[in-house]
Amino acid sequence: MTIDSRRKDEHLRYAEMTNSARQGQLNDFDGVRLLHQALPEQSLAEVDLSTSLIDGLTITSPFYIEAMTGGSKKGGMINKQLASLAAKHHLAMATGSMSIIFKDPTTRPTFEVVRQQNPHGVILANLSANASVDQAAEAIDLVNADALEIHLNSAQEVVMPEGSHDYHWLTNIKKLAARFPVIVKEVGFGMTKENVQLLADNGVAGINVAGRGGTNFAAIESLRGKRIGQTVDWSPLFNWGQSTVESLLEARSTNHRQATIIASGGVQTPADVVKAGALGATAVGVAGFFLHQLNTNSSGLDQLIDDWKQNIQAMVLLAGCHRFTDLVNAPFILNPQLKSYVQQRHLKI
């Protein structure tokens, strides 16, 4: 096993450790309430959960399997399981970072399996923000991807023992967005309204605000660093960043033009998906929670996805909406902490 493949497996192990520790804890989604509408004036069967991941790319479910893994034997096995579920339930799916295929071509099958298991589904190829146009084309071709997901991970790289310390990314993102449909995704530390506006102005098709509350890569890389003798205490960064809810409120206050807003980070319930929709997300990615369910009871994840779909359909109806995409106009209430955040940041929601 190469160093890079070992790192992929360590990410899986430490992600499960840190995510398991947070199961059941409150997050900012609990500070958002949608108002019950006593007169829905429609049947449950009329509720439409389809939405657009990006302009021109329709998905039948508003939640999807967000980037997790690949690049190791274990990662390939997990990708096979997830892609099979994605195919069965018609969910979109993002691969884990595919940058490893350029260093170690033997890892390519761990990503190819995603398209093999899901030949007709929506798949996103995931790369770092410094990927070249040729690398992006190769990654997209490898999994016959429908779009390219570019991740922003400065807070992870700072802590990562072998991480990069150069984060000049915007020029390259603009170059990639001119060639491919690009979704730019944070890895769990959120975005500001200024970040969202800047990305939209540089031509990206979608922006995944991916806030604090889910998988914490600062904590993961700190654990990896301790294993190899790193002495720096990175714990002050463990609570760094904006939550997913705060990031959605930031995005809602922008003129993001044609770029869709996507949410991920700390999504643990179907109610979180519906609340994200009300805050402006056109689609919602789920990673750490699904990984935990897969590790705990893989067959149970199959039923869980069915349950989520039915719960989301019911909640959309009870919020008085005909479509998931109508949720953006549904009334909601914020708790005092989130209301204070909106006021201090001068957000227009």
Side-chain angles (χ1 to χ4, degrees):
M1 179 183 288
T2 66
I3 293 175
D4 292 309
S5 291
R6 185 179 298 112
R7 183 170 73 244
K8 295 284 189 176
D9 282 350
E10 288 176 337
H11 284 168
L12 287 169
R13 181 167 68 255
Y14 292 135
E16 176 61 8
M17 287 172 56
T18 54
N19 274 300
S20 295
R22 281 194 301 277
Q23 294 302 312
Q25 292 184 8
L26 295 177
N27 62 33
D28 268 358
F29 282 110
D30 299 295
V32 181
R33 287 177 52 202
L34 270 68
L35 301 185
H36 172 65
Q37 302 299 328
L39 293 168
E41 295 301 305
Q42 63 176 319
S43 69
L44 188 60
E46 292 178 272
V47 176
D48 182 5
L49 295 186
S50 65
T51 185
S52 294
L53 192 58
I54 56 175
D55 188 33
L57 187 58
T58 299
I59 52 177
T60 59
S61 170
F63 66 94
Y64 67 97
I65 300 171
E66 189 49 275
M68 290 190 220
T69 190
S72 69
K73 182 178 179 181
K74 182 178 181 180
M77 292 172 60
I78 291 174
N79 273 344
K80 182 177 181 179
Q81 290 176 286
L82 292 172
S84 178
L85 287 169
K88 178 178 179 179
H89 295 282
H90 307 290
L91 301 181
M93 177 177 171
T95 72
S97 175
M98 297 176 67
S99 300
I100 191 173
I101 68 172
F102 308 116
K103 298 179 181 178
D104 183 2
T106 66
T107 62
R108 294 166 68 93
T110 68
F111 298 101
E112 290 173 314
V113 69
V114 174
R115 179 54 79 188
Q116 292 165 358
Q117 291 294 312
N118 190 7
H120 306 297
V122 172
I123 292 176
L124 309 179
N126 183 300
L127 287 174
S128 64
N130 58 10
S132 69
V133 169
D134 288 344
Q135 287 174 330
E138 186 174 343
I140 290 170
D141 183 64
L142 185 66
V143 295
N144 191 21
D146 299 274
L148 178 67
E149 185 177 70
I150 293 296
H151 60 262
L152 307 180
N153 65 338
S154 54
Q156 177 188 7
E157 294 280 353
V158 164
V159 181
M160 186 188 298
E162 61 277 79
S164 167
H165 291 170
D166 184 1
Y167 317 120
H168 296 92
W169 290 333
L170 193 59
T171 298
N172 194 56
I173 288 172
K174 183 176 182 179
K175 186 186 302 182
L176 292 170
R179 292 286 299 275
F180 313 102
V182 167
I183 296 171
V184 173
K185 174 189 179 295
E186 237 294 338
V187 300
F189 299 92
M191 292 191 187
T192 64
K193 59 185 178 182
E194 292 84 4
N195 299 153
V196 171
Q197 193 65 61
L198 192 57
L199 288 168
D201 290 344
N202 278 274
V204 304
I207 303 167
N208 186 339
V209 295
R212 174 174 50 80
T215 303
N216 189 321
F217 276 101
I220 288 171
E221 297 299 351
S222 177
L223 287 169
R224 288 188 60 245
K226 288 180 179 178
R227 181 188 62 78
I228 61 175
Q230 190 180 61
T231 58
V232 178
D233 176 13
W234 290 110
S235 60
L237 287 181
F238 292 0
N239 290 315
W240 183 259
Q242 295 82 254
S243 71
T244 301
V245 170
E246 290 168 343
S247 300
L248 286 170
L249 292 168
E250 293 271 352
R252 193 181 176 99
S253 187
T254 67
N255 174 25
H256 47 80
R257 300 181 183 177
Q258 297 303 311
T260 59
I261 299 300
I262 302 167
S264 64
V267 177
Q268 298 183 20
T269 71
D272 294 345
V273 175
V274 173
K275 291 174 183 180
L279 294 174
T282 61
V284 180
V286 188
F289 182 75
F290 280 175
L291 177 63
H292 176 70
Q293 297 301 314
L294 190 69
N295 289 332
T296 304
N297 181 4
S298 58
S299 61
L301 181 54
D302 188 0
Q303 181 61 49
L304 182 97
I305 291 172
D306 268 335
D307 292 347
W308 275 40
K309 286 186 175 182
Q310 293 187 57
N311 274 268
I312 291 169
Q313 188 176 37
M315 290 179 192
V316 171
L317 175 133
L318 296 175
C321 299
H322 293 282
R323 295 172 293 273
F324 179 84
T325 52
D326 293 337
L327 284 169
V328 69
N329 298 314
F332 60 83
I333 293 174
L334 302 177
N335 68 9
Q337 290 76 22
L338 289 172
K339 183 179 178 182
S340 174
Y341 182 92
V342 168
Q343 292 171 340
Q344 291 184 60
R345 285 288 292 155
H346 307 289
L347 302 180
K348 301 174 183 178
I349 63 168

